[in-house]
Amino acid sequence: MTSAVLTPWWRHRRPATTVADDDLGSADPTPILDWRHPQVQHLLAAARETTQPGERALLQAAHHLISETVRPVYALNDTQPVSRTLARGVGSCSQRLAVLEAVARAGGSSTRVRGLLVDGSFWYSRFPRLRRLVPDTVLLAWPEFRIGQTWLNVSELYAPLDALSAANPRGFTNTGSQTLFEALASTAVDWDGSTCGSDSCSSFDLSALVREDLGRFSSRDELFAAHGQTLCPPARIIGGALLGRRAAGAADAPS
């Protein structure tokens, strides 16, 4: 089974945004980023209690709290409201990144996302016995945060990519117990090949896995409205029933 069956038919039929990147981004609530909800406000308050003032420090504290309180699972609904993710206490990497975005907006920082179509082979190691069911490409909403007058890629939330790669010589390989969300705190996640030198590319370089860069959107709501989710609704329901209770980072899916 391929993404031709699993992917919504409208996915590549919407025009890409034509708004200049510098004009994108917002701190407004959205159906996904429902930051006015008490669940998000509680997380924002908890993050503020554990760190010094500052937008970046707040996001780092929120990232730690999300890692500790929202258990990673293979959930498939990328448009699930953040408040529901927090209420359930479980979420995929995409859903937990949305929580981080919501906290940023609740704290007054604008956010936006970059749409990346990532080769499905990136997830093969997670599903060796279900490899044929992994879509050809997976749509990833990769957040960016407005800090002062500049945009901060979530890959560099803790430090520039060069510093992260120097501190941890092993890049993220999507194997083992560490998920993509947790990896942000300790290793370089490089979708652009910016850690490559003039002669060779590093182990942190994931750019070869990016099939298409869809550009930037003011919210993940806009991205998914324009391009659909990775899986069509029936596939999300079936896949969610099979994987929704399974901890992310496990080496294999249940047979």
Side-chain angles (χ1 to χ4, degrees), residues 118-137:
V118 180
D119 196 288
S121 63
F122 186 53
W123 284 269
Y124 282 174
S125 60
R126 300 292 190 189
F127 304 99
R129 287 182 286 174
L130 296 177
R131 184 176 296 186
R132 292 179 61 189
L133 298 180
V134 176
D136 291 341
T137 57

Side-chain angles (χ1 to χ4, degrees), residues 184-251:
L184 295 171
S186 60
T187 192
V189 179
D190 179 13
W191 297 113
D192 296 300
S194 59
T195 56
C196 292
S198 57
D199 298 325
S200 62
C201 284
S202 70
S203 61
F204 309 95
D205 177 25
L206 301 176
S207 61
L209 292 163
V210 178
R211 292 270 199 93
E212 187 177 353
D213 186 342
L214 300 174
R216 291 175 172 84
F217 296 77
S218 287
S219 70
R220 60 181 50 231
D221 301 65
E222 289 188 5
L223 170 63
F224 293 124
H227 294 279
Q229 296 190 58
T230 296
L231 299 179
C232 63
R236 289 201 303 271
I237 293 171
I238 296 171
L242 290 172
L243 302 175
R245 296 180 181 275
R246 178 172 173 261

Side-chain angles (χ1 to χ4, degrees), residues 15-115:
T17 179
T18 57
V19 180
D21 282 352
D22 289 344
D23 296 330
L24 292 172
S26 173
D28 293 339
T30 71
I32 299 176
L33 307 175
D34 57 343
W35 60 258
R36 290 197 176 103
H37 193 281
Q39 291 274 5
V40 184
Q41 292 297 317
H42 177 75
L43 179 58
L44 172 64
R48 281 175 167 164
E49 289 177 358
T50 61
T51 191
Q52 299 297 316
E55 295 171 293
R56 190 167 184 167
L58 176 65
L59 292 177
Q60 291 172 353
H63 182 265
H64 280 300
L65 287 173
I66 296 164
S67 296
E68 293 172 356
T69 60
V70 183
R71 183 170 57 88
V73 296
Y74 291 110
L76 303 177
N77 182 11
D78 286 326
T79 61
Q80 175 173 282
V82 162
S83 59
R84 178 163 175 75
T85 300
L86 290 173
R88 296 181 64 193
V90 297
S92 65
C93 286
S94 177
Q95 290 169 344
R96 292 189 293 162
L97 284 170
V99 175
L100 186 61
E101 286 182 69
V103 172
R105 291 192 177 204
S109 298
S110 294
T111 76
R112 65 187 185 186
V113 295
R114 183 180 175 194

